[in-house]
Amino acid sequence: MEEIQLLQSQALEEVAAATSTADLKETRIKFLGNKGLISGKLAEIGKYPGDKKAFGQAVNGAKGAVEAALSERESVLLSKERAAQFEAERIDVTMPGRPMRGGYEHVLQTTMNKVKRTLGGLGFEYRESPELEEFRYNFDALNYPPDHPAMDDQDTFYIDDNWLLRTQCTAIQGRVFESTKPPLRMFTVGRTYRNEAVDRTHSHTFHQVDCFMVDEGVSMAHLKGTLGAFARAMFGDEVKIRFRPDFFPFVEPGVDYAISTPKLFGGRWVELGGAGLIHPNILEAYGIDTERYSGFAFGLGVDRIPMMAYGIDDLRHFLENDLRFLEQFRGEPVA
Amino acid sequence: MKFPYAMLRDFVDTNLNAEQIGDLLTMAGFELEGIEEVDGDAVLDIKVVSNRGDGLSVFGLSREVLAKDLEAKPTALYTRAASRFADSTLAEHFQLESNAATVEAEECKRFAVRGVDSDRPLGNLASPEWMQKRLTQAGMRPISLLVDLTNYVMLELGQPLHAFDRDLLSEGRIVVRYAKPGEKLTTLNGEEHELAGQMMICDAAKPVGVPGVMGGLETEVNDNTTRLLLESANFLNLNVRKTRKQLGLSTEASYRFERSVDPEGVVAATRRFSELLVESVPDVRISNILDLYPRPPVLVPVKVRVQKASRLLGMEITLAQAEQYLSRLGMSVAVSGENELTVTPPSWRPDIVREEDLVEELGRVHGFDLIPERLPEGSTTLGGSKGVYRQADLVRESLVRSGFVQIIAHSLRDYSALDAPGERVAPRNPASPEHCVLRNSLLSCLGEAARRNGSRDLHLFEVGKVFSRSGAETSEVLHAAGLSVGALWPVNRKGDSVPTADFFSLKTALNELFVTLALGHAVELSVPSSLDERFHPTRQASVVLAGEPVGIIGQIHPEVADKEDLLAETVLFEINLESVFASGQPRIDQRSISRNPAVRRDLAVVVEKTVPFSALESAIKKGAGEVLEKHWLFDVYEGTGIEPGKHSLGIGLQFRKHGANFTDEEANQVRDAIVAELVSLGATLR
């Protein structure tokens, strides 16, 4: 029995002296392994001359005490060793990330996507119509008087007398009215062309939104409400809308609309595009009863949206595809 | 249109300052482009929209101010101008002969002349200083009393005038007629014009002026002029525009006529000119006014229902307000029913032809800023993109996920070695040689964008329209195209090995695109039946969807790469999205997932390189039947130990059953069946 006491204190000393979990593992095998100095004593129980039961209890007691000491010491050493290991594994999180390849959309595309989400959310259905358009849809169907200046060669690219590159996305309206009876709410986003010299603020190729609806009781107030909702989605909640009379052959009344927000240009009014109630001559030409129905339409330049939002100062950047320009707009701030 | 604020005050008694007038006009639809101070006075620059020619005079804009500013009062001058200076009391000293003016051309709507005689030369007199100052402020150069008077009256009233030296006119008379072949005219600016049938202002012998545009040099007033013939006329706006364009001229007069000039103002302007002239030179003798006005326009009344106007404008306007607004614009207004007005538009407003035009007038005067914001009510439609428009979104999204950067490039371009073959569509009036033809392939755009960005380590795509022609028929089709060259991703740790783009990396991106469109099962690449010369002849494939070719993929032809300044390892694809979208999509039915374990078997087979992998795949599928869960290529080897012309392919196979486990023996049987199929293609087990 005394021997067991002795072995127990010897084991506890060794446990206390261990400096690593590897040392502890050895100590465990030495005292508590199958043939360990303490657990091996159980095999001697039969030969023990004295109180066998007390002997057994003494061996198990010593085992338990050593086991407890071992686990306690092990958890201490283990956390020390972990800490040392973690320290050794420390990385510099400020070092650059491992490069991967990320694709992204063009800044005009993300703008168009936002326009589509917004107008789509307001119940307008997205449609497209040709860029290579017939004269009649681009002009005649939109109530242009014959020989209007916009029809000049200096303003419009002609393929021949009947075909041209559309000068406005509004050209979709006649095509829609031809095939769709009201009520309808539609919009398009697309490319338009005008015979203009290219400079910082002009291009012969640009992108437009055209949005229109025809239903019973459609008014200028609905136009203003829709434009307000649209502009606030594009430029933020503080946006205010202002109408001013203007003339476009395809609307009557016709207005241009401007927005103002403290976020842009110090709250100055900035013109965004033209709008109005669809000219009754157009609706009537497509057999739509103007006593029953009225409609509104508005248009704006897509390119102007990122120009305003990001302070882009040169229209030419958009179609030049310099990645140093494009990669600046991979993230899309929400208004 | 530029004018000093002081001139507006001649017509309107208002408390509004120049800036407030600018704001008022802006909100009335005559946008203030700027106010500048010239010679101590505020000068307003106002943009007048094309259907409002009546706004191209101080008098006309005064009318707008009076309509919107209810505090403002018309001055005596305004009242006189409104009554066309009918109160003019100048004595007429002599009578013009009845043939002093004749009109033979229909496009001349009105033509009035007045003679002025003087004992001393009139042409060398200068206009009063106040007039010179105002003209300078309005951006016109003072020249002489007679010329300045015509300009000043035009600025005031909007009516262009022209003064001839009557002694220089053959027989001292005017005929408005069409030019005869071979006739010529040198205009005031010194340019000589060959005429061909245009309506011209002529004397008894020759053309002396371009109607509504510019007078002739020869008959112009000069220092010695003592006898004057003053022309005030009105011409069809389309005619003025046509002639002006033909002769390449543009003047203040033509600008006004092209928009619209009040035909009723013709004589009024003559009267105003005369009284201002007499103020400066009291001893001139003036004639009667010979006024040829064969068909005064009939003013057609237009009805407006005030309720309808309120409904369309989305704001309430009362009958009384409507009556007041329209009257203040110079319209004659009568109540013709409950809530209905009958409005006769004035002669200077040819743009008022139907009810909606009056609705706009009511909105304009009441104030568009008072319109509230309301969202549309009524029948709601499902918004957003459907069908092919949604599919186009998916194409872009897929390529972005595959690591490609979208470009958006010009469709109007120069010719390029990357253009597709075939007839082209081009504008007949291109803006420049760099933008002379419409693209028929997106590859030239991608090539240009790659060059701009250094030609290497780039993965770009575009989705856009391309244009082609077959005889008279033009077509416009939506395409998608990609370009890939260099490292598939960048490296910044030495020792990381990064694969570079090649046919097969691009094929994966293309395949992903079809998978995104739910067409992954139906697409395959095959050796094209005819080669595309833009591509490497043995590294190009036709993209075939459900048996139909829809595009091309391959490595650039080295010679094209040279021409386009691109690397020879550049790979490209282009597909016709309209053909792709037209292909029927399958219904997606979920396959239940087996809970039984899979077994794997690997094969290494040696086979002639001419046997396409797709043939081996078909053989594998045929040999394995339903239990083949997937198969994949894991090794391609040729060289030592393999006969020349052959290669060794390592192929992984995975089998699985539903509801039962595979035994080793069963798996081996399936493998053997596959091997048997492969052997029939000439393959041997390695």
Side-chain angles (χ1 to χ4, degrees):
Chain A
M1 297 281 262
E2 271 173 35
E3 193 192 353
I4 292 166
Q5 278 295 318
L6 209 65
L7 281 168
Q8 178 176 338
S9 8
Q10 192 191 334
L12 292 180
E13 266 167 44
E14 279 191 32
V15 167
T19 56
S20 71
T21 51
D23 287 355
L24 279 183
K25 208 171 174 185
E26 275 174 32
T27 305
R28 180 188 297 276
I29 293 167
K30 181 174 170 191
F31 291 94
L32 303 182
N34 280 341
K35 290 172 186 169
L37 293 175
I38 295 178
S39 38
K41 288 286 170 203
L42 282 177
E44 294 169 20
I45 201 162
K47 294 182 213 159
Y48 187 69
D51 183 345
K52 290 185 193 322
K53 193 177 170 191
F55 180 80
Q57 281 172 344
V59 174
N60 283 330
K63 264 180 78 175
V66 173
E67 182 63 56
L70 272 169
S71 344
E72 195 187 330
R73 183 69 184 149
E74 190 170 34
S75 76
V76 171
L77 287 176
L78 196 62
S79 59
K80 266 193 192 162
E81 286 172 14
R82 279 262 164 79
Q85 185 192 353
F86 287 155
E87 193 48 52
E89 286 172 359
R90 180 175 294 282
I91 56 168
D92 177 0
V93 296
T94 66
M95 270 170 52
R98 195 173 293 281
M100 287 171 54
R101 205 170 114 209
Y104 53 92
E105 286 181 317
H106 190 285
V107 60
L108 286 180
Q109 185 69 55
T110 52
T111 307
M112 294 191 259
N113 292 349
K114 195 169 174 182
V115 168
K116 287 184 188 178
R117 278 199 304 278
T118 305
L119 293 177
L122 285 165
F124 291 86
E125 188 188 329
Y126 182 70
R127 289 282 183 94
E128 286 178 11
S129 69
E131 294 173 23
L132 200 59
E133 186 53 282
E134 288 181 61
F135 184 92
R136 60 193 175 114
Y137 289 115
N138 197 76
F139 291 122
D140 297 342
L142 296 178
N143 197 40
Y144 276 75
D147 209 25
H148 188 276
M151 300 170 180
D152 277 2
D153 268 26
Q154 294 99 298
D155 291 296
T156 300
F157 288 119
Y158 284 94
I159 305 304
D160 55 37
D161 287 345
N162 295 322
W163 291 87
L164 45 75
L165 291 172
R166 68 175 170 196
T167 62
Q168 48 197 356
C169 278
T170 318
I172 195 174
Q173 289 183 14
R175 288 178 174 273
V176 165
F177 296 149
E178 219 167 53
S179 61
T180 315
K181 294 285 156 234
L184 56 87
R185 300 183 189 192
M186 307 257 178
F187 76 108
T188 192
V189 184
R191 178 169 282 197
T192 56
Y193 304 82
R194 288 190 197 162
N195 197 346
E196 282 194 24
V198 177
D199 64 22
R200 238 160 44 78
T201 53
H202 296 89
S203 177
H204 51 71
T205 301
F206 48 101
H207 299 82
Q208 277 189 340
V209 180
D210 196 85
C211 179
F212 54 103
M213 75 175 288
V214 181
D215 201 346
E216 293 177 20
V218 172
S219 75
M220 293 291 280
H222 298 132
L223 170 63
K224 209 176 203 180
T226 303
L227 273 170
F230 173 72
R232 282 187 281 276
M234 300 304 294
F235 297 104
D237 287 341
E238 301 98 329
V239 170
K240 289 198 212 31
I241 279 271
R242 186 187 79 177
F243 277 1
R244 230 171 44 76
D246 203 346
F247 172 66
F248 306 95
F250 37 90
V251 281
E252 189 73 42
V255 295
D256 67 43
Y257 59 97
I259 62 161
S260 150
T261 162
K263 282 184 189 163
L264 294 172
F265 308 114
R268 192 161 60 74
W269 288 108
V270 183
E271 259 178 48
L272 260 198
L277 296 185
I278 298 173
H279 202 290
N281 290 354
I282 298 176
L283 298 179
E284 283 163 12
Y286 290 98
I288 297 168
D289 176 6
T290 52
E291 285 301 314
R292 180 169 172 199
Y293 291 109
S294 51
F296 72 62
F298 67 85
L300 76 154
V302 173
D303 320 64
R304 271 182 69 71
I305 299 171
M307 286 184 101
M308 287 170 62
Y310 304 137
I312 296 167
D313 58 354
D314 192 333
L315 195 56
R316 289 171 292 198
H317 285 315
F318 288 122
L319 299 185
E320 281 178 350
N321 299 300
D322 192 317
L323 297 186
R324 291 169 302 172
F325 172 75
L326 296 181
E327 70 191 4
Q328 298 174 51
F329 313 106
R330 292 184 62 169
E332 183 189 307
V334 291
Chain B
M1 170 168 131
K2 267 190 186 175
F3 62 92
Y5 171 67
M7 272 185 85
L8 185 96
R9 296 295 302 265
D10 286 357
F11 287 90
V12 191
D13 187 7
T14 172
N15 294 322
L16 303 182
N17 62 26
E19 224 156 88
Q20 290 164 321
I21 290 290
D23 286 346
L24 178 148
L25 287 173
T26 296
M27 293 313 291
F30 298 88
E31 188 184 356
L32 176 73
E33 302 229 279
I35 298 185
E36 43 175 355
E37 192 155 306
V38 183
D39 208 359
D41 292 319
V43 174
L44 290 95
D45 188 1
I46 299 290
K47 184 173 144 194
V48 177
V49 292
S50 65
N51 69 335
R52 289 300 304 274
D54 63 296
L56 290 168
S57 67
V58 178
F59 174 51
L61 290 176
S62 301
R63 205 153 41 215
E64 294 295 323
V65 172
L66 286 167
K68 290 224 30 137
D69 174 12
L70 300 184
E71 312 274 291
K73 300 268 180 299
T75 62
L77 179 62
Y78 181 93
T79 311
R80 294 186 64 224
S83 62
R84 322 255 191 233
F85 297 97
D87 60 344
S88 180
T89 51
L90 296 178
E92 293 172 2
H93 301 90
F94 66 98
Q95 286 285 314
L96 284 175
E97 307 77 11
S98 63
N99 72 344
T102 331
V103 173
E104 294 174 1
E106 247 183 50
E107 292 93 334
C108 176
K109 297 198 286 188
R110 189 172 188 181
F111 201 90
V113 287
R114 165 169 268 178
V116 179
D117 290 357
S118 167
D119 295 331
R120 57 189 169 108
L122 289 170
N124 60 359
L125 300 177
S127 60
E129 253 174 54
W130 63 265
M131 187 181 291
Q132 292 194 27
K133 180 178 170 189
R134 285 178 168 192
L135 285 173
T136 309
Q137 287 170 331
M140 295 184 207
R141 196 163 54 89
I143 294 169
S144 66
L145 174 66
L146 295 178
V147 175
D148 293 356
L149 274 176
T150 59
N151 283 334
Y152 190 75
V153 172
M154 177 172 71
L155 192 60
E156 270 196 338
L157 306 178
Q159 171 67 49
L161 297 171
H162 184 71
F164 292 100
D165 183 324
R166 203 174 175 200
D167 290 324
L168 298 176
L169 292 174
S170 167
E171 296 178 24
R173 63 188 181 91
I174 293 288
V175 184
V176 183
R177 60 164 169 86
Y178 300 103
K180 294 170 195 153
E183 281 191 319
K184 286 179 186 167
L185 172 66
T186 302
T187 42
L188 276 175
N189 58 0
E191 289 175 16
E192 190 186 63
H193 304 276
E194 304 237 359
L195 305 172
Q198 296 95 340
M199 173 173 71
M200 282 290 136
I201 296 175
C202 306
D203 60 15
K206 60 187 183 297
V208 295
V210 186
V213 185
M214 194 184 274
L217 185 64
E218 219 178 295
T219 52
E220 150 181 50
V221 289
N222 55 63
D223 285 358
N224 304 320
T225 302
T226 56
R227 288 212 313 149
L228 191 70
L229 195 65
L230 179 72
E231 165 207 326
S232 179
N234 194 290
F235 306 97
L236 186 70
N237 55 354
L238 287 182
N239 181 279
V240 172
R241 185 172 142 65
K242 202 173 91 191
T243 310
R244 171 187 80 67
K245 277 171 69 186
Q246 280 172 358
L247 303 186
L249 297 168
S250 180
T251 60
E252 291 269 353
S254 67
Y255 188 79
R256 285 174 170 78
F257 277 120
E258 278 183 63
R259 280 149 185 85
S260 69
V261 173
D262 181 8
E264 294 297 331
V266 163
V267 167
T270 310
R271 290 178 181 144
R272 177 66 173 155
F273 177 97
S274 311
E275 68 181 31
L276 287 172
L277 174 65
V278 169
E279 267 178 34
S280 283
V281 195
D283 56 346
V284 290
R285 293 184 298 279
I286 60 175
S287 79
N288 65 323
I289 297 172
L290 179 63
D291 179 18
L292 306 174
Y293 195 15
R295 284 174 302 277
V298 179
L299 303 174
V300 183
V302 179
K303 284 191 163 79
V304 60
R305 289 160 288 177
V306 177
Q307 235 164 9
K308 184 175 180 183
S310 298
R311 202 181 71 229
L312 288 176
L313 291 168
M315 59 180 173
E316 199 56 36
I317 289 176
T318 65
L319 186 72
Q321 283 171 324
E323 213 179 337
Q324 186 194 28
Y325 295 155
L326 297 175
S327 306
R328 287 182 78 106
L329 286 169
M331 311 202 183
S332 91
V333 183
V335 178
S336 55
E338 198 189 337
N339 266 310
E340 187 192 84
L341 299 174
T342 297
V343 180
T344 307
S347 55
W348 62 85
R349 291 299 302 273
D351 58 307
I352 306 283
V353 292
R354 59 180 294 167
E355 187 173 23
E356 283 76 3
D357 300 325
L358 292 170
V359 171
E360 177 174 81
E361 293 306 291
L362 293 176
R364 220 164 52 79
V365 181
H366 192 68
F368 282 141
D369 43 338
L370 299 178
I371 294 175
E373 282 191 32
R374 277 209 304 272
L375 282 173
E377 300 127 29
S379 3
T380 301
T381 49
L382 180 65
S385 300
K386 293 187 289 203
V388 293
Y389 306 125
R390 177 61 196 143
Q391 283 181 295
D393 292 342
L394 289 170
V395 166
R396 290 195 320 271
E397 287 165 15
S398 172
L399 287 166
V400 165
R401 273 200 301 278
S402 294
F404 284 74
V405 176
Q406 184 190 13
I407 65 153
I408 296 184
H410 280 289
S411 343
L412 279 169
R413 335 181 45 81
D414 199 355
Y415 293 90
S416 149
L418 280 168
D419 290 344
E423 279 185 90
R424 304 295 291 268
V425 187
R428 67 182 180 198
N429 54 332
S432 71
E434 295 83 49
H435 307 285
C436 63
V437 67
L438 284 164
R439 62 187 178 187
N440 69 352
S441 161
L442 299 177
L443 297 183
S444 61
C445 302
L446 289 165
E448 182 191 56
R451 257 194 320 280
R452 173 173 288 275
N453 291 289
S455 293
R456 64 177 70 239
D457 300 340
L458 294 165
H459 311 281
L460 307 173
F461 79 97
E462 180 160 16
V463 174
K465 297 286 184 69
V466 302
F467 305 84
S468 62
R469 168 190 293 284
S470 169
E473 287 289 299
T474 56
S475 77
E476 168 181 344
V477 183
L478 188 68
H479 275 202
L483 173 151
S484 190
V485 60
L488 286 182
W489 59 87
V491 199
N492 63 6
R493 306 290 200 280
K494 195 178 163 191
D496 283 5
S497 84
V498 172
T500 52
D502 65 3
F503 182 94
F504 297 104
S505 66
L506 191 63
K507 178 177 176 174
T508 300
L510 185 62
N511 203 56
E512 252 331 279
L513 186 160
F514 283 101
V515 169
T516 307
L517 293 171
L519 292 168
H521 66 289
V523 67
E524 57 187 15
L525 300 189
S526 67
V527 178
S529 51
S530 68
L531 289 180
D532 187 318
E533 291 177 357
R534 297 171 293 171
F535 287 82
H536 188 298
T538 57
R539 291 185 171 185
Q540 61 172 276
S542 184
V543 182
V544 179
L545 183 65
E548 292 298 319
V550 296
I552 181 152
I553 176 172
Q555 189 170 332
I556 194 168
H557 195 292
E559 288 165 15
V560 175
D562 266 358
K563 271 188 216 156
E564 291 282 310
D565 210 3
L566 297 170
L567 296 184
E569 58 262 39
T570 305
V571 287
L572 305 156
F573 79 83
E574 179 158 23
I575 53 175
N576 176 329
L577 287 180
E578 289 177 24
S579 304
V580 172
F581 297 161
S583 176
Q585 290 175 309
R587 208 184 112 108
I588 297 179
D589 275 321
Q590 78 116 25
R591 279 190 312 272
S592 58
I593 296 172
S594 166
R595 296 181 181 280
N596 301 93
V599 289
R600 182 172 164 182
R601 290 288 182 273
D602 288 348
L603 290 177
V605 292
V606 177
V607 66
E608 295 278 352
K609 280 160 75 178
T610 51
V611 176
F613 187 70
S614 59
L616 301 180
E617 286 186 298
S618 307
I620 290 167
K621 285 178 193 161
K622 191 174 166 204
E626 282 181 356
V627 296
L628 181 70
E629 188 172 64
K630 61 177 177 180
H631 69 280
W632 63 98
L633 181 69
F634 64 78
D635 186 35
V636 182
Y637 173 74
E638 53 187 302
T640 319
I642 305 290
E643 241 180 279
K646 293 190 174 182
H647 55 186
S648 165
L649 302 177
I651 299 167
L653 304 164
Q654 183 164 307
F655 311 138
R656 201 196 296 262
K657 287 201 282 197
H658 268 272
N661 292 355
F662 253 105
T663 62
D664 263 0
E665 200 178 329
E666 284 169 331
N668 291 341
Q669 280 169 7
V670 176
R671 185 195 57 197
D672 293 345
I674 290 171
V675 170
E677 288 295 334
L678 291 174
V679 166
S680 72
L681 290 174
T684 50
L685 273 190
R686 191 178 170 200

